[in-house]
């Protein structure tokens, strides 16, 4: 494997709207990001991914962009963005932007012009098609519910939107569109951004015959992902896109679902389309057959299998981007830990398992504090478009309103979008005004200020984990060492080696009860421990309930 500049880095995702408000409007802003660069630096972060900050009507929280060259005024100005770039650079940190190019906003000038003349130049920037016998061109259900085709009033045309109807899909078969997008990408890279997190990118390739598929729900429609899975050739588009990144040696991390099995090398190999892509295998385990309401519970032993499988597949190919949560998922601490492990030690265990994997760790804002899901009391508290849709899906499936709320609350994207918890003061120190989304009431216990001074806090534990990845003595092993499972079949034990010039062993006891294991060789040094002690007798270790260790072996 070729070595890349970003391999040993640790990344952090900021959801700007919920990070830090500095002007009292209840919405996080760029000034708030600038103000906390030192905090992120002290945590050990190198790369910061900003969820979209472009001009947007915020139907899908900025993933609907109406001007790719503007910073939305709720976040601040382009001058402030430039200041952020400069301040990050001073600290040897890198900023990456979210690149949302499968679709734009219906308020984008291109789309507004297209609506006026679907047969004109801008009509061809999108997918306008005539309906079939008074029906949409095909039977696709969009990712956010309802038909993926929206009728243009007063015409026979429909336009395609894989997400919300306010997010029309861009036509990647039109060279003019590609030219516009590549010019824009170059413009940001010239400014000094280090790369991009690339949104929903697998969706750019369409089957232009837009075939119907067998309905998979009572609405008579079929999930549009069937079309994505059914079409070949996304690689050519991605290769072409890659050339815009190459000359800058930019770092790119892709959001890829529904990849075909044999495409891994093409995607993230040495000369892959992207630097890396997120490992969503844990997230995917929870997908329901019909929606969030029938989401599956994750059993720990299965989770372990998935993680090892993903690691194995990539070992000779490239680096995965490892996560336990992001802005589209519930909090990992609430989702991947059984009730009895939902405490600081359990959270440290989960963090260790993720951060010590081979690949590049991405930490989502607040994860380093152990932030948790928010208990929604009513559907009126939900802002997220996708949660509102899934609530409807649950009701249509016959669930009572209470049951539907309960089901979607567990899985809601708003769980991760509640304001960052900075202090124990009002609104967690996030804003002096009214926060745009309710602050989790556990902020008095879980916040940066408190955890900074508590040596045993989740925050200080994350600092240690990240420091270990960067320790000159262990860096080579933690970054490049092979990952090999240890005692793979032992119930409720997560254990793996990292083998490089040193031999490290990560062991986590995923249960309330103690469990005993025998180390394969003598313990030379304990590098990470979420307990004050380690019960060692010869090479045998009696692990406390939910204890996690990283040890160096002789
Ligand atoms: C990605 C984003 C998500 C957004 C969707 C549509 O999945 O992560 O937040 O809703 O794309 O842009
Ligand atoms: Ca603000």
């Amino acid at each position: 494997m070729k070595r890349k500049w970003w391999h040993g880095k640790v990344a952090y995702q900021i959801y700007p709207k919920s990070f830090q408000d500095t002007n009292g409007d209840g919405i996080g802003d760029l000034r708030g990001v600038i103000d906390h660069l030192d905090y992120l630096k002290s945590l050990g972060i190198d790369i910061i991914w900003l969820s979209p900050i472009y001009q947007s009507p915020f139907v899908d929280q900025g993933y609907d962009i109406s001007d790719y060259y503007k910073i939305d005024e709720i976040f601040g100005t382009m001058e402030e963005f430039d200041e952020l770039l400069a301040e990050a650079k001073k600290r040897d940190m890198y900023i990456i932007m979210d690149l949302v190019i499968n679709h734009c906003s219906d308020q984008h000038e291109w789309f507004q012009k297209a609506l006026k003349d679907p047969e004109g130049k801008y009509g061809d920037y999108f997918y306008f098609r005539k309906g079939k016998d008074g029906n949409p061109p095909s039977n696709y259900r969009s990712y956010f519910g309802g038909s993926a085709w929206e009728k243009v009033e007063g015409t026979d045309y429909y336009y395609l939107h894989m997400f919300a109807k306010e997010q029309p899909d861009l036509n990647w078969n039109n060279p003019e569109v590609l030219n516009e997008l590549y010019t824009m990408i170059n413009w940001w890279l010239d400014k000094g951004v280090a790369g991009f997190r690339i949104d929903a990118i697998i969706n750019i390739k369409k089957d232009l015959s837009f075939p119907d598929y067998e309905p998979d729900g009572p609405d008579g429609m079929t999930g549009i992902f069937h079309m994505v899975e059914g079409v070949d050739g996304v690689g050519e588009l991605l290769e072409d896109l890659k050339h815009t990144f190459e000359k800058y040696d930019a770092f790119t991390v892709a959001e890829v679902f529904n990849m075909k099995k044999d495409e891994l090398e093409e995607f993230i190999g040495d000369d892959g389309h992207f630097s890396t892509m997120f490992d969503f295998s844990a997230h995917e385990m929870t997908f329901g057959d019909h929606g969030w309401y029938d989401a599956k519970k994750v059993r720990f032993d299965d989770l372990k299998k998935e993680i090892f499988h993903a690691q194995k597949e990539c070992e000779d190919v490239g680096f995965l981007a490892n996560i336990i949560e992001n802005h589209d998922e519930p909090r990992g601490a609430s989702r991947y830990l059984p009730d009895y492990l939902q405490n600081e030690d359990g959270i440290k265990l989960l963090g260790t398992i993720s951060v010590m994997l081979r690949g590049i760790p991405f930490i989502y804002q607040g994860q380093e504090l152990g932030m948790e899901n928010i208990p929604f009391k009513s559907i009126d508290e939900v802002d997220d478009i996708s949660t509102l849709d899934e609530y409807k899906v649950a009701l249509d499936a016959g669930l009572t309103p209470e049951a539907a709320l309960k089901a979607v609350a567990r899985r809601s994207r708003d769980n991760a979008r509640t304001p960052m918890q900075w202090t124990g003061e009002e609104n967690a120190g996030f804003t002096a005004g009214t926060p745009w989304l309710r602050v989790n009431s556990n902020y008095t216990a879980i916040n940066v200020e408190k955890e900074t001074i508590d040596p045993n806090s989740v925050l200080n534990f994350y600092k240690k984990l990240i420091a270990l990845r960067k320790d000159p003595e262990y860096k080579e092993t933690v970054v490049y060492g092979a990952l090999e499972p240890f005692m793979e079949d032992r119930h409720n034990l997560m254990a793996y080696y990292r083998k490089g010039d040193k031999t490290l062993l990560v062991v986590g006891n995923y249960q309330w009860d103690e469990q005993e294991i025998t180390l394969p060789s003598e313990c030379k040094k304990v590098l990470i421990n979420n307990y004050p002690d380690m019960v060692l007798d010869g090479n045998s270790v009696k692990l406390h309930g939910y204890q996690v260790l990283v040890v160096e072996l002789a």
Side-chain angles (χ1 to χ4, degrees), residues 60 63 103 144 163 167 197 199 255 327-328 413 417:
D60 184 24
Y63 284 90
H103 47 269
F144 292 158
F163 293 89
Q167 294 169 298
R197 174 268 185 182
D199 185 73
E255 184 197 31
H327 68 294
D328 291 331
R413 309 200 295 180
R417 298 178 180 185

Side-chain angles (χ1 to χ4, degrees), residues 179-439:
N179 192 32
E180 299 262 19
L181 295 177
Y182 296 168
T183 305
M184 178 271 292
I185 292 170
N186 280 307
W187 188 82
W188 285 102
L189 288 167
D190 283 335
K191 237 182 186 317
V193 307
F196 297 95
R197 174 268 185 182
I198 308 180
D199 185 73
I201 195 66
I202 201 84
N203 297 293
I204 59 177
K205 180 74 190 180
K206 319 296 196 233
D207 181 339
L208 294 177
S209 66
F210 296 116
D212 280 332
Y213 284 87
E214 197 60 37
D216 63 8
D219 55 8
M221 290 188 265
T222 185
I224 195 160
F225 64 89
H226 287 123
M227 187 261 283
V228 176
E229 286 172 353
V231 66
D232 286 322
V234 72
E236 285 155 45
L237 297 178
L238 297 178
E239 256 326 88
D240 201 33
L241 171 65
K242 182 179 88 178
H243 298 313
T244 55
F245 306 126
E246 257 168 359
K247 41 186 185 301
Y248 298 86
D249 199 13
F251 169 72
T252 56
V253 50
E255 184 197 31
V256 176
F257 289 100
N258 311 100
M259 190 191 72
K260 304 203 167 58
K261 282 222 157 26
D262 53 357
E263 286 176 337
L264 198 59
E265 173 86 40
E266 272 173 59
F267 274 64
I268 59 164
D270 270 346
D271 298 306
H273 311 313
F274 309 109
S275 308
T276 178
M277 61 187 195
F278 293 108
D279 179 13
F280 287 123
S281 48
H283 177 54
E284 285 173 333
M285 288 174 74
T286 67
F287 287 4
D289 292 332
H290 305 100
W292 293 358
Y293 73 87
D294 64 351
K296 298 177 188 70
K297 270 225 151 131
V298 185
R299 282 181 51 246
F300 173 70
D301 288 350
D302 297 334
L303 178 67
K304 169 166 88 172
K305 252 190 230 137
E306 283 301 312
I307 294 175
F308 284 156
H309 176 70
Q311 289 276 315
K312 180 90 199 145
E313 273 192 330
C314 287
E315 66 183 358
D316 299 322
V317 178
F319 267 34
L320 285 172
N322 297 309
I323 58 165
I324 61 168
E325 63 202 44
N326 65 24
H327 68 294
D328 291 331
E329 300 181 15
R331 290 286 181 178
S334 304
R335 182 191 215 184
Y336 298 122
L337 293 171
D339 295 344
Y340 59 87
L341 286 194
Q342 291 195 12
N343 55 38
E344 283 188 16
D345 288 319
I347 291 169
K348 291 172 185 170
L349 163 61
L350 190 64
T352 307
I353 291 172
S354 175
V355 172
M356 290 303 291
L357 291 173
R358 187 173 162 283
I360 174 165
F362 268 71
I363 292 164
Y364 178 71
Q365 71 182 40
Q367 175 187 331
E368 77 278 21
L369 307 176
M371 278 180 66
E372 295 165 354
N373 282 355
I374 184 160
F376 289 104
K377 293 190 198 84
S378 139
I379 193 68
D380 299 334
E381 284 180 339
V382 172
D383 170 273
D384 171 37
I385 181 170
S386 183
T387 310
L388 295 172
D389 168 55
E390 291 286 348
Y391 180 68
K392 197 175 156 288
V393 170
L395 291 179
D396 289 347
L399 272 72
T400 63
E402 295 72 39
L405 177 67
K406 212 172 149 204
V408 302
R410 255 199 308 266
R411 178 58 186 76
S412 175
R413 309 200 295 180
D414 278 351
N415 281 309
R417 298 178 180 185
T418 63
M420 176 74 174
Q421 293 164 203
W422 294 103
T423 71
E425 281 150 43
E426 206 182 347
N427 292 322
F430 163 69
T431 177
T434 308
W436 73 276
L437 194 66
R438 184 158 74 92
V439 175

Side-chain angles (χ1 to χ4, degrees), residues 37 40-41 45-48 88-89 91-95:
L37 285 175
L40 296 175
K41 185 74 194 174
I45 301 304
D46 309 290
I47 298 176
I48 298 172
K89 194 165 182 191
R91 293 165 175 83
D92 281 326
M93 294 164 98
Y94 304 83
I95 302 288

Side-chain angles (χ1 to χ4, degrees), residues 20-29 74:
Q20 175 75 71
D21 174 28
T22 59
N23 64 352
D25 64 357
I27 298 172
D29 41 50
I74 68 166

